[in-house]
Amino acid sequence: MENLDPIFDRNVECPLCKTKFTSKKIRSKFIKVERYESDFCPIYKEGHVNGLLYNIYVCPDCGFSFSDDFSKYFPPGTKEEIINKVSSNWVPQNFGGHRTIEDAIKTYKLACYCAELKKEKHIVTAGLYLRIAWLYRLLENIEQEKRFMKIAIHHYYESYSTDDFRGTQVSEVRILYLLGELSRRIGEIDQAVKYFSMVIERQSRTVETKIVDMARERWYEIRDMQKQEDVINE
């Protein structure tokens, strides 16, 4: 029996210019996650393909870049904006083959730009920026990781403020937790405490008890760290 390749060609149609192309995807049975970090970054088992690398489709003809989370709807004027700012400057290139981490970062950055021009929901754009941060973490580029975490925080906050996450798989508790954890990771401790407290306050109104437990753990860690700092400074 022939061995099944973990990566296959998926047929895609560009929502903008209707060009048909192929893009690599990973068969779900081959995605093996060993654990998740405290901001939900997946750590894949050694020797297995990183599932983050192939989430973005890049049209080789017009440059429009998107994920499965993008809506099919283009608000009035956004198609023209994308054509003017992306397609008219696009140097034809193909991201449909095997990708390195650096390749994947380029595709996510293109998708972020297209998402902003298309006026995608903040919850979608936030997820793209967070994944760029995760990929920079793999490259051990702390400066760029934190830079993109800050942008993700902005979009998660806008999503929370405008309720645009409603109807998606992302809950209010998860957004608040991510706001807290990403704030903690970039050193904004007061903001982190505020958001973790908001998660804990909602413990009786959510079924996502694991996230509440994670927020409580982070909150205690911060409190213990601050106590130690107070002792040192006495």
Side-chain angles (χ1 to χ4, degrees):
M1 182 176 174
E2 188 179 346
N3 289 332
L4 196 62
D5 194 330
I7 300 177
F8 69 100
D9 285 326
R10 178 172 175 178
N11 295 317
V12 187
E13 181 179 273
C14 175
L16 183 67
C17 72
K18 304 305 179 184
T19 293
K20 291 180 171 61
F21 62 98
T22 62
S23 190
K24 298 291 184 188
K25 294 293 286 184
I26 304 173
R27 300 181 200 277
S28 57
K29 65 187 288 185
F30 289 97
I31 297 176
K32 304 291 184 183
V33 177
E34 189 172 279
R35 60 184 173 85
Y36 291 93
E37 295 191 330
S38 57
D39 60 352
F40 306 121
C41 175
I43 303 300
Y44 296 92
K45 287 187 177 179
E46 190 175 351
H48 286 269
V49 184
N50 186 329
L52 295 172
L53 301 184
Y54 298 97
N55 284 338
I56 306 299
Y57 309 106
V58 180
C59 176
D61 276 13
C62 74
F64 182 66
S65 306
F66 58 101
S67 72
D68 289 328
D69 294 324
F70 277 45
S71 70
K72 290 181 169 53
Y73 172 69
F74 285 81
T78 56
K79 279 190 175 183
E80 293 76 12
E81 186 84 350
I82 295 166
I83 290 168
N84 182 44
K85 293 188 175 178
V86 177
S87 304
S88 63
N89 299 308
W90 180 247
V91 177
Q93 51 192 304
N94 193 346
F95 287 97
H98 291 267
R99 293 177 186 170
T100 63
I101 294 173
E102 290 84 357
D103 290 335
I105 288 173
K106 289 178 185 176
T107 68
Y108 276 102
K109 287 180 177 178
L110 285 166
C112 285
Y113 188 45
C114 290
E116 302 252 15
L117 294 174
K118 188 177 176 290
K119 298 180 170 60
E120 275 294 335
K121 287 184 173 185
H122 289 288
I123 193 63
V124 173
T125 311
L128 297 174
Y129 281 116
L130 179 57
R131 282 158 180 78
I132 295 175
W134 290 346
L135 290 171
Y136 273 120
R137 186 181 304 167
L138 290 176
L139 296 176
E140 299 181 352
N141 188 329
I142 296 171
E143 182 182 348
Q144 289 300 316
E145 178 189 346
K146 288 186 175 181
R147 176 191 167 207
F148 283 95
M149 278 186 177
K150 286 180 181 177
I151 305 174
I153 288 171
H154 164 74
H155 283 283
Y156 278 122
Y157 178 78
E158 289 298 321
S159 178
Y160 174 68
S161 300
T162 60
D163 267 1
D164 84 354
F165 63 91
R166 302 290 180 190
T168 73
Q169 293 182 327
V170 185
S171 66
E172 179 184 57
V173 163
R174 181 174 283 254
I175 287 181
L176 289 171
Y177 173 81
L178 275 169
L179 282 167
E181 177 58 12
L182 297 181
S183 296
R184 184 186 74 83
R185 283 175 174 263
I186 65 170
E188 294 182 356
I189 302 304
D190 290 343
Q191 287 292 99
V193 169
K194 180 182 82 171
Y195 289 122
F196 288 144
S197 298
M198 291 172 73
V199 173
I200 295 166
E201 286 167 7
R202 286 160 173 75
Q203 60 185 324
S204 62
R205 309 201 303 269
T206 180
V207 295
E208 294 180 286
T209 53
K210 186 175 180 181
I211 292 180
V212 175
D213 290 341
M214 290 169 70
R216 190 178 286 111
E217 286 172 16
R218 301 288 90 73
W219 190 89
Y220 281 128
E221 285 172 8
I222 291 171
R223 189 187 66 171
D224 291 343
M225 180 187 71
Q226 290 174 331
K227 282 181 179 179
Q228 289 172 6
E229 288 176 353
D230 289 342
V231 169
I232 292 170
N233 293 329
E234 281 181 359

